[in-house]
Amino acid sequence: MTSLICGSMAYDTLMSFPERFSESILADQLHNINVCFLVPDMRREFGGCAGNIAYNLKLLGGTPLIMATIGIDGAPYLERLAELDISRRYIRTIKTTYTAQAFVTTDKNNNQITAFHPGAMALSHENHIENTANEKIQLAIIAPDGRDGMIQHANDCARLHIPFIFDPGQQLPMFNRDELRHFIELATYVAVNEYEGEMLSQLSGWTTTEIASCVKALIITCAERGATIYQNGEKIDIPCVKATREADPTGCGDAFRAGLIYGLTNNMDMKTCGCLGSLMGAIKIEYSGPQNHKLTSKEIADRFEKAFGYRYLKQ
């Protein structure tokens, strides 16, 4: 059985500015700004929500099926997926634009200036879930992507009776109240971080309790405080797993969602699903970049047993 991962694929160009932005910007000239930052350190990472979730799900032993759009510069990403044995058959190349990408410059105080180009992501609606009719899809996730694509994929999942997780992420402000309520009513699960959860309540006009009552479970991640899952009128607290070091939080939320998906598609109880997500987030934060951790499924299972005292799946 496969998991359909609908979302963005992107390149992240990460740069380090060794000084402080505030020392290079004149506060009284912000209306006429013209600055240049020398960035001696730069790296390019494979990213995007769909790419990150699929990468982590593959580490766990799952079968991710990515549905996404890339641009004319997407060949290196496709080659990487081939090396990882992750299917590329529902990744569409848009030949008139570039792959979505973020350019992030971080100063010595961890302040960041980011420029994001959506590129091919804006055309995600050119992919159609009905084309996966021959796949045995057990669960889908609608992760941050082009606005029209997210709406279309949610409607298609509902029409085709494919259960899905609604994961709006940073795309939340793109949708109005009625659209968000429609997403929630169609979804099987909703997954957000704490800030997004508050925003979802405000924008939809529904309380956390009301949102949770519409789905099988509402999952809210809370960074170093773990996560909270609302299911059947109950609140399940998920502990945070202590990382050996904290190198980079980029992609931790996607890693959590991969653990959640793996648990749900292997008939684990909701608390175990959340704990596995928590562990995957802790593993990810120990590495720079969203896709540079390389643990085997057995190593992940061993770390889970050490953290929680039981095996989540027979090996």
Side-chain angles (χ1 to χ4, degrees):
M1 300 293 282
T2 60
S3 301
L4 183 65
I5 316 297
C6 301
S8 63
M9 291 179 63
Y11 293 120
D12 297 331
T13 300
L14 308 177
M15 297 161 283
S16 297
F17 178 54
E19 306 299 331
R20 298 180 178 86
F21 292 141
S22 59
E23 296 171 349
S24 300
I25 299 175
L26 299 176
D28 61 347
Q29 291 295 312
L30 292 178
H31 64 287
N32 189 33
I33 193 167
N34 186 352
V35 296
C36 177
F37 301 109
L38 178 64
V39 288
D41 297 320
M42 184 183 82
R43 70 181 192 272
R44 196 185 199 204
E45 301 282 0
F46 295 99
C49 295
N52 295 342
I53 294 170
Y55 178 83
N56 284 279
L57 187 55
K58 186 69 176 182
L59 290 182
L60 283 160
T63 307
L65 194 62
I66 297 174
M67 176 165 282
T69 45
I70 58 173
I72 54 177
D73 56 345
Y77 213 146
L78 294 177
E79 292 170 5
R80 172 177 171 76
L81 294 176
E83 293 171 357
L84 295 170
D85 193 29
I86 295 176
S87 174
R88 301 163 293 164
R89 58 185 174 272
Y90 297 109
I91 299 174
R92 178 185 290 268
T93 299
I94 308 297
K95 297 181 179 180
T96 56
T97 188
Y98 291 100
T99 301
Q101 41 203 297
F103 301 88
V104 184
T105 303
T106 305
D107 74 1
K108 67 184 301 181
N109 285 356
N110 286 325
N111 296 307
Q112 291 184 323
I113 295 176
T114 301
F116 181 74
H117 173 65
M121 188 184 82
L123 297 173
S124 60
H125 57 278
E126 293 193 10
N127 277 327
H128 300 281
I129 290 179
E130 57 261 30
N131 293 336
T132 67
N134 294 327
E135 310 288 349
K136 295 180 179 179
I137 297 173
Q138 190 172 357
L139 178 67
I141 183 169
I142 310 299
D145 206 351
R147 180 185 185 281
D148 293 344
M150 292 179 71
I151 293 173
Q152 176 179 289
H153 295 335
N155 286 330
D156 287 350
C157 280
R159 178 170 51 82
L160 297 170
H161 305 292
I162 299 172
F164 74 91
I165 301 169
F166 176 46
D167 172 25
Q170 68 270 27
Q171 302 296 66
L172 258 173
M174 294 193 308
F175 304 107
N176 62 36
R177 188 192 71 167
D178 291 341
E179 289 167 338
L180 288 171
R181 289 186 172 190
H182 185 62
F183 272 121
I184 294 166
E185 289 170 339
L186 295 181
T188 314
Y189 306 93
V190 172
V192 289
N193 65 29
E194 200 168 20
Y195 179 82
E196 294 160 357
E198 180 62 30
M199 181 180 290
L200 180 59
S201 288
Q202 290 185 13
L203 293 179
S204 69
W206 283 346
T207 65
T208 296
T209 300
E210 289 172 322
I211 294 171
S213 69
C214 294
V215 293
K216 285 188 175 180
L218 167 63
I219 302 96
I220 302 177
T221 60
C222 306
E224 70 278 0
R225 291 184 289 105
T228 302
I229 298 176
Y230 297 88
Q231 182 186 40
N232 297 328
E234 298 182 356
K235 178 182 176 183
I236 304 171
D237 292 320
I238 305 299
C240 177
V241 176
K242 185 173 178 57
T244 57
R245 66 186 184 118
E246 295 185 9
D248 178 12
T250 307
C252 286
D254 296 327
F256 185 102
R257 282 146 181 76
L260 181 68
I261 292 168
Y262 188 79
L264 290 171
T265 54
N266 282 277
N267 300 314
M268 299 179 196
D269 62 87
M270 208 65 219
K271 183 163 187 177
T272 300
C273 292
C275 288
L276 185 53
S278 183
L279 173 66
M280 292 304 294
I283 290 172
K284 205 313 308 157
I285 205 171
E286 296 171 356
Y287 297 80
S288 294
Q291 297 180 26
N292 291 322
H293 46 300
K294 299 179 181 179
L295 283 74
T296 66
S297 59
K298 183 181 184 305
E299 289 172 329
I300 295 170
D302 289 344
R303 285 194 58 170
F304 185 95
E305 184 175 21
K306 182 178 180 180
F308 299 106
Y310 67 99
R311 304 289 288 190
Y312 64 79
L313 193 66
K314 292 181 180 180
Q315 299 294 311

